[in-house]
Amino acid sequence: MKLKILFGTGIAIGSEVSPQLLVNIFVPNTPLHDGAVVISNNKIVAAACMLPLASDTDIAKELGTRHRAAIGISKESDAIAIVVSEETGKISIAKDGTLIADVKEETLKKILIKNIIDKRFDKVRISKIERLKSINFGKDKKEEKD
């Protein structure tokens, strides 16, 4: 799903991620409080975004719109959605249409590292390996001619 679609109804931010900014965005009764924050490449792209909701059959009745949106966006994109319950303060995470409720801080860190940081390093490693292969391939061809 295109990023622009996700924040088409939101407010563009374009700022580095910081704990202070995230806290300020979610201050109750402010313009940015309702809706999602979209983060991409360590930047807060937009806030107050409306996300696609999962259907009633995908989620327990006791969970609300915030959790339904997390599941919905994780089903329709490769996004990982983190949800903080306004009522309980408990953290949930949605990925590939599955919600893991009441995630502890250490578990959240591990999930994010595995799914974001490790994937970035894998892409860099693969890119470097491909570059090395092409260099070696060129040398092998030159040696064959000699």
Side-chain angles (χ1 to χ4, degrees):
M1 177 177 280
K2 298 280 186 209
L3 198 55
K4 283 187 175 189
I5 293 170
L6 294 179
F7 69 88
T9 58
I11 298 169
I13 304 288
S15 177
E16 295 291 323
V17 175
S18 75
Q20 298 85 357
L21 182 54
L22 287 170
V23 166
N24 282 322
I25 286 172
F26 288 111
V27 169
N29 303 317
T30 60
L32 301 179
H33 174 259
D34 284 330
V37 169
V38 175
I39 299 173
S40 180
N41 296 322
N42 293 325
K43 292 219 183 262
I44 298 176
V45 178
C49 302
M50 297 299 122
L51 303 178
L53 302 180
S55 68
D56 289 338
T57 59
D58 292 333
I59 191 167
K61 300 240 185 278
E62 61 271 7
L63 297 175
T65 304
R66 190 172 292 184
H67 294 83
R68 191 177 312 282
I71 294 169
I73 195 61
S74 76
K75 281 178 87 170
E76 292 191 27
S77 72
D78 63 351
I80 297 171
I82 302 167
V83 184
V84 180
S85 170
E86 215 168 5
E87 294 173 13
T88 66
K90 291 182 179 178
I91 298 170
S92 300
I93 189 164
K95 182 177 183 308
D96 299 326
T98 301
L99 185 76
I100 304 167
D102 197 11
V103 175
K104 303 299 178 220
E105 182 180 351
E106 194 56 38
T107 303
L108 177 62
K109 283 180 186 177
K110 286 178 183 175
I111 291 169
L112 292 175
I113 287 168
K114 179 178 183 240
N115 287 281
I116 297 172
I117 295 172
D118 287 351
K119 284 185 181 180
R120 280 194 189 150
F121 284 122
D122 285 345
K123 286 180 185 176
V124 170
R125 278 190 288 256
I126 290 168
S127 173
K128 285 181 179 178
I129 290 168
E130 292 302 318
R131 208 171 31 238
L132 288 172
K133 282 181 181 177
S134 70
I135 292 168
N136 287 336
F137 180 78
K139 285 181 182 177
D140 293 343
K141 289 289 185 190
K142 185 178 179 186
E143 288 172 9
E144 283 178 19
K145 289 180 181 178
D146 293 336

Coordinates of all heavy atoms in Angstrom, one line a residue, residues 7-52:
F7 N -1.6 8.4 4.7 CA -1.7 9.6 5.5 C -2.4 10.7 4.6 O -2.4 11.9 5.0 CB -0.4 10.1 6.0 CG 0.6 10.6 5.0 CD1 0.6 11.9 4.5 CD2 1.6 9.7 4.5 CE1 1.5 12.3 3.6 CE2 2.5 10.1 3.5 CZ 2.5 11.5 3.1
G8 N -3.2 10.2 3.6 CA -3.9 11.2 2.8 C -4.9 12.0 3.6 O -5.1 13.2 3.3
T9 N -5.4 11.5 4.7 CA -6.3 12.2 5.5 C -5.6 12.8 6.7 O -6.2 13.5 7.5 CB -7.5 11.3 6.0 OG1 -6.9 10.2 6.8 CG2 -8.3 10.8 4.9
G10 N -4.3 12.5 6.9 CA -3.6 13.0 8.0 C -2.9 14.3 7.8 O -3.1 15.0 6.7
I11 N -2.0 14.7 8.7 CA -1.3 16.0 8.6 C 0.2 15.6 8.4 O 0.8 14.9 9.2 CB -1.5 16.8 9.9 CG1 -3.0 17.2 10.0 CG2 -0.6 18.0 9.9 CD1 -3.4 17.7 11.3
A12 N 0.8 16.1 7.4 CA 2.2 15.9 7.1 C 3.1 16.5 8.2 O 2.9 17.6 8.6 CB 2.6 16.4 5.7
I13 N 4.1 15.7 8.6 CA 5.0 16.2 9.7 C 6.4 16.3 9.2 O 7.0 17.4 9.2 CB 4.9 15.2 10.9 CG1 3.5 15.1 11.5 CG2 5.9 15.7 12.0 CD1 2.9 16.2 12.2
G14 N 7.0 15.2 8.7 CA 8.3 15.2 8.2 C 9.4 15.5 9.2 O 10.4 16.3 8.9
S15 N 9.3 14.9 10.4 CA 10.3 15.2 11.4 C 11.0 14.0 11.9 O 10.4 12.9 11.8 CB 9.6 15.9 12.6 OG 10.5 16.1 13.6
E16 N 12.2 14.1 12.4 CA 12.9 13.0 13.1 C 12.0 12.4 14.2 O 11.4 13.2 14.9 CB 14.3 13.4 13.6 CG 15.2 13.8 12.5 CD 15.7 12.7 11.6 OE1 15.9 11.5 12.1 OE2 15.9 12.9 10.4
V17 N 12.1 11.1 14.4 CA 11.3 10.5 15.5 C 12.0 10.9 16.8 O 13.2 10.8 16.9 CB 11.3 9.0 15.4 CG1 10.6 8.4 16.6 CG2 10.6 8.6 14.1
S18 N 11.2 11.3 17.8 CA 11.8 11.6 19.2 C 10.7 11.2 20.2 O 9.5 11.4 19.9 CB 12.2 13.0 19.3 OG 11.1 13.9 19.5
P19 N 11.0 10.7 21.3 CA 10.0 10.5 22.3 C 9.2 11.7 22.7 O 8.0 11.6 22.9 CB 10.8 10.0 23.6 CG 12.2 9.5 23.0 CD 12.4 10.4 21.8
Q20 N 9.8 12.8 22.8 CA 9.1 14.1 23.1 C 8.0 14.4 22.1 O 6.9 14.8 22.5 CB 10.1 15.2 23.3 CG 11.1 15.1 24.4 CD 12.4 14.3 23.9 OE1 12.4 13.8 22.8 NE2 13.3 14.1 24.8
L21 N 8.4 14.3 20.8 CA 7.4 14.6 19.8 C 6.3 13.6 19.8 O 5.1 14.0 19.7 CB 8.1 14.6 18.4 CG 7.2 15.0 17.2 CD1 6.5 16.3 17.5 CD2 8.0 15.0 15.9
L22 N 6.6 12.4 20.0 CA 5.5 11.4 20.0 C 4.5 11.6 21.2 O 3.3 11.5 21.1 CB 6.0 10.0 20.1 CG 6.7 9.5 18.8 CD1 7.4 8.1 19.0 CD2 5.6 9.3 17.7
V23 N 5.1 12.0 22.4 CA 4.3 12.3 23.5 C 3.4 13.5 23.2 O 2.2 13.5 23.5 CB 5.2 12.5 24.8 CG1 4.3 13.2 25.9 CG2 5.8 11.2 25.3
N24 N 4.0 14.5 22.6 CA 3.2 15.7 22.3 C 2.1 15.5 21.3 O 1.0 16.0 21.4 CB 4.1 16.8 21.8 CG 4.8 17.5 23.0 OD1 4.3 17.7 24.0 ND2 6.1 17.9 22.8
I25 N 2.4 14.6 20.3 CA 1.4 14.3 19.3 C 0.1 13.7 20.0 O -1.0 14.0 19.6 CB 1.9 13.4 18.2 CG1 2.9 14.2 17.3 CG2 0.8 12.7 17.4 CD1 3.6 13.3 16.3
F26 N 0.4 12.8 21.0 CA -0.8 12.1 21.6 C -1.3 12.7 22.8 O -2.1 12.1 23.6 CB -0.4 10.6 21.8 CG -0.2 9.9 20.5 CD1 1.0 9.4 20.1 CD2 -1.4 9.6 19.7 CE1 1.1 8.7 18.9 CE2 -1.2 8.9 18.5 CZ 0.0 8.5 18.1
V27 N -1.1 14.0 23.0 CA -1.7 14.7 24.1 C -3.2 14.8 23.8 O -3.7 15.2 22.7 CB -1.2 16.2 24.3 CG1 -2.0 17.0 25.2 CG2 0.3 16.1 24.7
P28 N -4.1 14.3 24.8 CA -5.5 14.3 24.6 C -6.1 15.7 24.2 O -5.6 16.7 24.7 CB -6.1 13.8 25.9 CG -5.0 13.0 26.5 CD -3.7 13.7 26.1
N29 N -7.1 15.7 23.4 CA -7.8 16.9 23.0 C -7.0 17.9 22.2 O -7.2 19.1 22.3 CB -8.5 17.6 24.2 CG -9.4 16.6 25.0 OD1 -10.2 15.9 24.4 ND2 -9.2 16.6 26.3
T30 N -6.0 17.3 21.5 CA -5.3 18.2 20.5 C -5.5 17.7 19.1 O -6.0 16.6 18.9 CB -3.7 18.1 20.8 OG1 -3.3 16.8 20.7 CG2 -3.4 18.6 22.2
P31 N -5.3 18.5 18.1 CA -5.6 18.1 16.7 C -5.0 16.8 16.2 O -5.6 16.1 15.4 CB -5.1 19.3 15.9 CG -5.0 20.5 16.8 CD -4.7 19.9 18.2
L32 N -3.8 16.5 16.7 CA -3.1 15.3 16.3 C -3.4 14.0 17.1 O -3.0 12.9 16.7 CB -1.6 15.5 16.2 CG -1.1 16.7 15.3 CD1 0.4 16.8 15.4 CD2 -1.6 16.5 13.9
H33 N -4.1 14.2 18.2 CA -4.4 13.1 19.1 C -5.0 11.9 18.5 O -4.6 10.7 18.7 CB -5.2 13.6 20.3 CG -5.5 12.5 21.3 ND1 -6.8 11.9 21.3 CD2 -4.8 11.8 22.2 CE1 -6.8 11.0 22.2 NE2 -5.7 10.9 22.8
D34 N -6.1 12.1 17.7 CA -6.8 11.0 17.2 C -6.2 10.6 15.9 O -5.7 11.4 15.1 CB -8.3 11.4 16.9 CG -9.1 11.4 18.2 OD1 -8.8 10.6 19.1 OD2 -10.0 12.2 18.2
G35 N -6.1 9.3 15.6 CA -5.6 8.7 14.4 C -4.2 8.2 14.7 O -3.6 8.3 15.8
A36 N -3.6 7.7 13.6 CA -2.3 7.1 13.7 C -1.1 8.0 13.3 O -1.3 9.0 12.7 CB -2.2 5.9 12.7
V37 N 0.1 7.7 13.8 CA 1.3 8.3 13.4 C 2.0 7.3 12.4 O 2.1 6.1 12.7 CB 2.2 8.6 14.6 CG1 3.6 9.0 14.1 CG2 1.6 9.7 15.4
V38 N 2.4 7.8 11.3 CA 3.1 7.0 10.3 C 4.6 7.3 10.4 O 5.0 8.5 10.2 CB 2.6 7.2 8.9 CG1 3.4 6.4 7.8 CG2 1.1 6.8 8.8
I39 N 5.4 6.3 10.7 CA 6.8 6.5 10.7 C 7.5 5.6 9.6 O 7.1 4.5 9.5 CB 7.4 6.0 12.1 CG1 6.7 6.8 13.2 CG2 8.9 6.1 12.2 CD1 7.1 6.4 14.6
S40 N 8.4 6.3 8.9 CA 9.1 5.6 7.8 C 10.5 6.1 7.8 O 10.7 7.3 7.8 CB 8.4 5.8 6.5 OG 9.1 5.1 5.5
N41 N 11.5 5.2 7.7 CA 12.9 5.6 7.7 C 13.3 6.6 8.8 O 13.9 7.6 8.5 CB 13.2 6.2 6.3 CG 13.1 5.1 5.2 OD1 13.4 4.0 5.4 ND2 12.6 5.5 4.1
N42 N 12.8 6.3 10.0 CA 13.2 7.1 11.2 C 12.6 8.5 11.1 O 13.1 9.4 11.8 CB 14.7 7.1 11.5 CG 15.2 5.7 11.9 OD1 14.5 5.0 12.5 ND2 16.4 5.4 11.5
K43 N 11.6 8.7 10.3 CA 10.9 10.0 10.3 C 9.5 9.9 10.5 O 8.8 8.9 10.1 CB 11.1 10.7 8.9 CG 12.5 11.1 8.6 CD 12.5 12.4 7.9 CE 13.9 12.8 7.5 NZ 14.5 13.7 8.4
I44 N 8.9 10.8 11.3 CA 7.4 10.9 11.4 C 6.9 11.5 10.2 O 7.1 12.7 10.0 CB 7.0 11.6 12.7 CG1 7.6 10.9 13.9 CG2 5.5 11.8 12.8 CD1 7.3 11.6 15.2
V45 N 6.3 10.7 9.3 CA 5.8 11.2 8.0 C 4.6 12.0 8.2 O 4.4 13.1 7.6 CB 5.6 10.0 7.1 CG1 5.1 10.5 5.7 CG2 6.9 9.2 6.9
A46 N 3.6 11.5 9.0 CA 2.4 12.1 9.2 C 1.7 11.7 10.5 O 2.1 10.7 11.1 CB 1.4 11.8 8.0
A47 N 0.7 12.5 11.0 CA 0.0 12.2 12.2 C -1.5 12.4 11.9 O -1.9 13.0 10.9 CB 0.5 13.0 13.3
A48 N -2.3 11.9 12.8 CA -3.8 12.1 12.7 C -4.3 11.3 11.4 O -5.2 11.8 10.7 CB -4.2 13.5 12.7
C49 N -3.7 10.2 11.1 CA -4.0 9.4 9.9 C -5.1 8.4 10.2 O -5.1 7.8 11.3 CB -2.8 8.7 9.4 SG -1.4 9.7 9.1
M50 N -6.0 8.3 9.3 CA -7.1 7.3 9.4 C -6.7 6.0 8.7 O -6.2 6.1 7.5 CB -8.4 7.8 8.8 CG -9.0 9.0 9.5 SD -9.3 8.7 11.3 CE -8.3 9.9 12.1
L51 N -6.7 4.9 9.4 CA -6.3 3.6 8.8 C -7.4 2.7 8.5 O -8.5 2.9 9.1 CB -5.3 2.9 9.8 CG -4.1 3.7 10.3 CD1 -3.3 2.9 11.3 CD2 -3.2 4.1 9.1
P52 N -7.3 1.8 7.5 CA -8.3 0.8 7.2 C -8.6 0.0 8.4 O -7.7 -0.5 9.1 CB -7.8 0.0 6.1 CG -6.3 0.2 6.2 CD -6.1 1.5 6.8

